[in-house]
Amino acid sequence: MAFAKSFAKAIGYGLIAIVALPIYLAFMAIFMSLWLVFTVTAIGPIAQYVCKKSDDKLLAKSPVTYIVVHETAGSRRLAIRWTKGISSLPPVCIPNGLGATLISISRLHELLVDMGFSVMSYDRAGVGMSDPLPNGTHHFGAEATIEDMHCVLTHSDLGLPSGTKWILIGPSMGSIVAQCYIAAHPEQVCGFLNHDGFPFPFAAKRGRFEKAAMVYSMYTKIVWTGVMRPFLYLASGTFTKIASRDFSVAAVRAQMNQANFFCSLAREMVTMMDCADYARTAWGPGFDFQTMTPEQLLPLINSRPAACGDVATAPGSTGTKPLESEGTGLLQTGTWWVDLPRSKWEKGTDWAPEEDTRAAIARMEHSNSDDSNAPLRAAFSTLVVRCMTSRDYSFPGGESFYDAQMKDWSAAEHSLHAYAAADGARTVFPTHHHGNLFFNTVE
């Protein structure tokens, strides 16, 4: 029976490849034809030069300020957006996700401000409107990334009292950056929202991400030809989900037309792997998922969530409130969860009892000799933590990055965060994927 299923799956993938290959080849032919026409006729480079001047003027009007980081080799600037709230709530910092900038998360920034929070968004070194990396620097490692973030959060110009503790919201790669910061400066943090963050065991897939970085580096080489600009105009509909009160669709498009956008995206993939390695070490050897079998991780992979957030899309939902995990809700009975593409270990039914999940974490914790080699475990025991977890991988490119092992690591890490916290909870979004969860959360 298992062989028959595997054979049928292989046949299915083969048919998809047969259908998709001509489409892919046709797209590449169109792309290369446009590139040749734009470059040979000089229409593309001239249009790019003129439009870039307009883009630069538009971005120069952005509501950002700069703080100066002093180093032995000189000084450089980090672009920040700091908005004071009207309440006494703890301030919020959003370390950006992979390829994201303070422009692309501006809608979330403004939403939090409207809720009364003081909010900090910033562009990491070499990203967005921050200064380029120093000459000879390929990328920033975890320590430098942490140091910059600490410089931002403790800067005197923010006007915050000494000892102010922050809430960190980590979308995607930002979750790993936030964990690194918590490990290094636990005294600065009181809360953490893991917004569908990449799990730290992704460091084991470094080669895969470095290959993707090479592709984005190639894009950097052709931006001057102007060939990317028409495609970005076609994506304006998507940019409306990113644009905000202070950053228009034109501003979003202007930033993505910069050669630095693709260059920083490539560098950030390597930075993400360095930060993942740092976080892996900071959790201690007892929580090293890479050395565990799926059976050992099962109580975390299939741990019971606090709630289901798919109120509008889940079959049978009234769309009025989250479906609690108690009772006969869809989290237990719906086959739609099981049918979505995920690891066989994450059943979506027959949830691991809470005592089993806590016992599994206790066994992992016992493998750590003391808290000195697991600063993140110690820090999480003092934090309020919430996790938002998308579980649909059927989006384009989803299966390329998330193999079965990575799906398990993602579910397990989010469960670990919720259960290891002083006050933790995980909400699952079975029919949302990594990209649309962020947009739909804001909307």
Side-chain angles (χ1 to χ4, degrees), residues 393-427:
Y393 299 100
S394 58
F395 60 98
E399 296 290 338
S400 299
F401 281 101
Y402 282 91
D403 57 25
Q405 189 178 43
M406 294 165 80
K407 294 173 185 176
D408 288 343
W409 286 341
S410 183
E413 186 197 70
H414 289 199
S415 295
L416 171 63
H417 287 180
Y419 278 91
D423 179 349
R426 179 174 72 113
T427 300

Side-chain angles (χ1 to χ4, degrees), residues 65-386:
T65 54
Y66 293 89
I67 64 171
V68 178
V69 179
H70 298 284
E71 298 174 323
T72 305
S75 301
R76 54 185 172 81
R77 301 178 309 160
L78 292 175
I80 69 168
R81 186 186 185 193
W82 169 239
T83 310
K84 289 281 287 184
I86 59 173
S87 73
S88 58
L89 294 167
V92 174
C93 175
I94 313 169
N96 299 329
L98 180 65
T101 65
L102 60 80
I103 289 181
S104 55
I105 61 168
S106 61
R107 186 175 287 193
L108 175 60
H109 180 113
E110 293 167 6
L111 173 65
L112 291 166
V113 170
D114 291 344
M115 295 171 65
F117 289 97
S118 296
V119 184
M120 168 64 74
S121 303
Y122 74 102
D123 288 338
R124 285 188 285 272
V127 177
M129 287 181 280
S130 288
D131 284 348
L133 297 181
N135 289 335
T137 304
H138 176 260
H139 73 283
F140 260 32
E143 289 81 3
T145 301
I146 295 168
E147 187 176 340
D148 273 5
M149 186 170 173
H150 191 57
C151 182
V152 169
L153 298 191
T154 58
H155 201 275
S156 59
D157 287 353
L158 304 186
L160 295 174
S162 177
T164 295
K165 290 179 179 264
W166 291 77
I167 297 172
L168 305 183
I169 296 181
S172 192
M173 171 186 171
S175 169
I176 299 177
V177 174
Q179 288 179 71
C180 292
Y181 186 79
I182 293 169
H185 300 284
E187 75 286 350
Q188 295 288 143
V189 184
C190 62
F192 172 48
L193 170 60
N194 180 338
H195 196 297
D196 203 40
F198 283 168
F200 63 84
F202 270 26
K205 310 292 183 177
R206 177 180 286 269
R208 184 177 301 184
F209 285 93
E210 288 180 344
K211 288 178 181 177
M214 292 174 61
V215 173
Y216 287 113
S217 294
M218 292 172 59
Y219 288 159
T220 304
K221 309 297 184 185
I222 63 173
V223 168
W224 68 273
T225 66
V227 71
M228 302 299 295
R229 192 169 288 272
F231 292 98
L232 291 174
Y233 271 98
L234 290 174
S236 293
T238 300
F239 295 161
T240 59
K241 296 182 178 181
I242 302 175
S244 63
R245 291 193 298 263
D246 288 333
F247 294 97
S248 64
V249 170
V252 176
R253 189 169 53 237
Q255 186 168 74
M256 294 188 71
N257 264 309
Q258 306 288 315
N260 182 56
F261 174 80
F262 296 102
C263 184
S264 62
L265 185 58
R267 288 170 173 165
E268 285 259 283
M269 285 198 166
V270 184
T271 298
M272 180 171 69
M273 293 296 97
D274 287 353
C275 289
D277 271 328
Y278 187 100
R280 176 190 178 193
T281 301
W283 274 104
F287 295 96
D288 189 356
F289 295 168
Q290 294 172 217
T291 64
M292 300 180 195
T293 64
E295 291 90 345
Q296 290 174 308
L297 280 176
L298 180 58
L300 269 68
I301 295 170
N302 207 50
S303 70
R304 183 188 296 273
C308 171
D310 285 339
V311 296
T313 57
S317 169
T318 61
T320 57
K321 64 178 182 178
L323 298 167
E324 298 298 330
S325 58
E326 300 297 330
T328 59
L330 293 176
L331 283 173
Q332 284 89 327
T333 60
T335 57
W336 51 279
W337 174 292
V338 182
D339 291 339
L340 289 170
R342 57 177 46 81
S343 162
K344 67 177 182 179
W345 298 98
E346 190 179 8
K347 303 181 183 69
T349 57
D350 302 322
W351 299 102
E354 180 177 337
E355 55 270 24
D356 288 0
T357 303
R358 295 197 179 279
I361 293 176
R363 287 193 297 272
M364 297 173 191
E365 191 169 31
H366 184 70
S367 299
N368 285 333
S369 57
D370 55 63
D371 285 345
S372 64
N373 74 341
L376 267 175
R377 176 64 187 98
F380 264 64
S381 66
T382 68
L383 298 179
V384 175
V385 176
R386 296 292 183 267

